[in-house]
Amino acid sequence: MPLKSRITATGSYTPRKVLSNSDLEKIVDTSDEWIIERTGIKERRIAKDTEAASDLGVEASRAALEHAGIKPKDIDLIIVATITGDMPMPSTASLLQNKLGAKKAAAFDINAACSGFVYGLSIADGFIKTGNFKKILLVGAEVLSRFTNWQDRTTCVLFGDGAGAVVIEPTTEDRGVLSIHIHSDGSLWDLLNIPGGGSRHPASEKTLMEKMHCIRMKGNETFKVAVRTLETLVVDTLKENKIKPSQLNLLIPHQANLRIIQAVAKRLHMPMDKVFVNLDKYGNTSGASIPIALDEALRTERIRNGDYVLLEAFGSGLTWGSALIKW
Ligand code: COA
């Protein structure tokens, strides 16, 4: 059997503080009914003032390492998928490496927004297949609440904080990551972005006044592109692997909007009981959403050895991607 990469353990961490839809009703002109009907979200988690992305990431990582039975010193590489890292430099992965005491690990972040975990898995898969690294820690960690405009009802109801982590190792067994597909279309960058704080609009009084450090989204347009793109992506991924939708045991989508998830499931003729959904509890946690969902799916025995599991994600960039895994 050729060398493949395999997710050998997962872990996740979500902050304790819950922000419910009715809490949001007190902040902006919205309603629990509207949010549930249009998004499926009931509540989301909010990090403590003292918690940054690496703090959430370290908890998720410790859980994943414990489940894998691996010591931090044995990790070769740490990749963190985040758009809400602790600081512009160093990388959140470097900060995490220090917190874990993963002394021999190389470390870097990737920015592919909500598709970050699938992009990270693709990078890890490549490193494993070349034999360069044997133990990779891939983490999605986000504190989106700090980049949310709490006066903008069109975005503030959508996002939440959390982290998920996976350990990736080589295998020669008939299982593991079967194929990964990543894509982007930068011409649509304007649909979803955080315009301030970079070299285009460095932090200034003006960027602060205009809340340019917060998420901006053309929600309705993004929604339409997401549905169209993801429908094509999942169909193509299965076709390429000669797997029928009926053979798929679990679809784990990026958790952005229940209506997007339902549209993709419908396109595959998949009943919703074969689709993992937890956005009602966490909202959209961007790069952390898939690893959190994966960890919960494993803990609740929604995935068994030999199952075909399809991950799919879509986000700012625009970026999108899928990964087909035989568990
Ligand atoms: N509460 C109440 N009303 C709201 C609201 C809220 N939180 N947010 C928007 N509205 C209003 C709008 O102002 C608009 O009012 P109008 O008709 O008087 O102008 C109306 O609801 C419809 O807005 P629209 O943006 O067309 O709603 P929608 O059905 O597209 O739902 C989103 C909005 C954001 C939930 C949806 O577009 C979405 O989920 N988009 C994609 C999100 C996504 O996937 N993003 C990231 C990819 S990772």
Side-chain angles (χ1 to χ4, degrees):
M1 278 282 166
L3 199 62
K4 279 206 277 296
S5 66
R6 183 165 96 81
I7 294 175
T8 52
T10 62
S12 63
Y13 171 79
T14 50
R16 239 184 243 161
K17 186 179 171 190
V18 173
L19 185 71
S20 69
N21 289 350
S22 56
D23 293 331
L24 281 166
E25 285 175 358
K26 293 172 200 135
I27 304 174
V28 284
D29 179 16
T30 190
S31 68
D32 179 43
E33 197 189 357
W34 190 96
I35 302 170
I36 292 178
E37 191 191 308
R38 299 292 179 110
T39 71
I41 300 166
K42 293 181 181 155
E43 57 188 40
R44 66 291 290 141
R45 300 298 178 94
I46 304 293
K48 282 190 273 193
D49 289 348
T50 51
E51 280 178 325
S54 69
D55 301 307
L56 273 50
V58 81
E59 298 294 336
S61 300
R62 284 189 183 127
L65 292 175
E66 197 185 315
H67 292 138
I70 287 176
K71 300 245 169 352
K73 67 176 175 50
D74 297 327
I75 306 167
D76 300 310
L77 171 67
I78 299 174
I79 306 173
V80 176
T82 186
I83 47 167
T84 56
D86 292 32
M87 45 186 99
M89 75 171 187
S91 70
T92 299
S94 295
L95 299 170
L96 184 61
Q97 186 238 27
N98 180 46
K99 282 184 178 155
L100 286 171
K103 289 208 171 0
K104 79 165 180 186
F108 61 86
D109 289 358
I110 55 158
N111 175 345
C114 301
S115 311
F117 181 81
V118 175
Y119 267 65
L121 189 59
S122 162
I123 297 167
D125 184 56
F127 275 128
I128 294 279
K129 282 181 178 154
T130 59
N132 277 0
F133 294 119
K134 291 200 163 53
K135 293 191 189 333
I136 300 178
L137 180 67
L138 171 61
V139 182
E142 303 281 13
V143 186
L144 289 152
S145 60
R146 234 147 266 163
F147 298 83
T148 298
N149 177 355
W150 294 104
Q151 285 150 15
D152 175 11
R153 67 174 184 174
T154 68
T155 54
C156 77
V157 302
L158 302 173
F159 301 100
D161 303 336
V166 303
V167 174
I168 303 165
E169 297 179 82
T171 182
T172 49
E173 293 170 33
D174 176 26
R175 65 199 295 201
V177 175
L178 301 182
S179 83
I180 308 188
H181 308 256
I182 53 174
H183 307 273
S184 72
D185 182 354
S187 72
L188 297 175
W189 70 271
D190 198 28
L191 290 186
L192 176 52
N193 53 61
I194 297 175
S199 54
R200 174 72 53 202
H201 302 288
S204 67
E205 211 171 305
K206 178 176 179 276
T207 60
L208 288 175
M209 292 289 288
E210 294 180 9
K211 294 205 183 309
M212 290 170 74
H213 305 271
C214 295
I215 299 163
R216 292 184 180 181
M217 181 171 67
K218 295 177 182 162
N220 199 269
E221 279 173 68
T222 308
F223 182 95
K224 286 178 194 150
V225 183
V227 169
R228 212 170 49 228
T229 308
L230 288 171
E231 284 180 350
T232 308
L233 176 71
V234 292
V235 169
D236 289 353
T237 304
L238 293 185
K239 243 188 220 160
E240 207 162 295
N241 287 279
K242 299 188 174 57
I243 300 242
K244 293 191 203 98
S246 59
Q247 287 175 272
L248 210 55
N249 299 91
L250 193 65
L251 176 67
I252 303 188
H254 165 53
Q255 310 283 314
N257 184 311
L258 184 60
R259 290 185 293 142
I260 298 177
I261 294 174
Q262 286 166 334
V264 174
K266 195 170 165 198
R267 179 71 181 77
L268 288 178
H269 305 288
M270 277 187 86
M272 284 305 285
D273 62 1
K274 286 169 86 176
V275 181
F276 194 83
V277 176
N278 65 1
L279 57 64
D280 50 320
K281 295 189 290 181
Y282 305 124
N284 180 347
T285 57
S286 191
S289 97
I290 291 184
I292 294 173
L294 195 54
D295 186 49
E296 290 198 348
L298 282 161
R299 302 273 94 78
T300 53
E301 297 182 351
R302 296 278 302 272
I303 302 175
R304 287 167 201 282
N305 285 344
D307 277 2
Y308 285 109
V309 179
L310 180 62
L311 315 180
E312 48 96 334
F314 179 89
S316 171
L318 297 176
T319 55
W320 61 99
S322 64
L324 183 66
I325 299 170
K326 186 173 178 190
W327 210 264

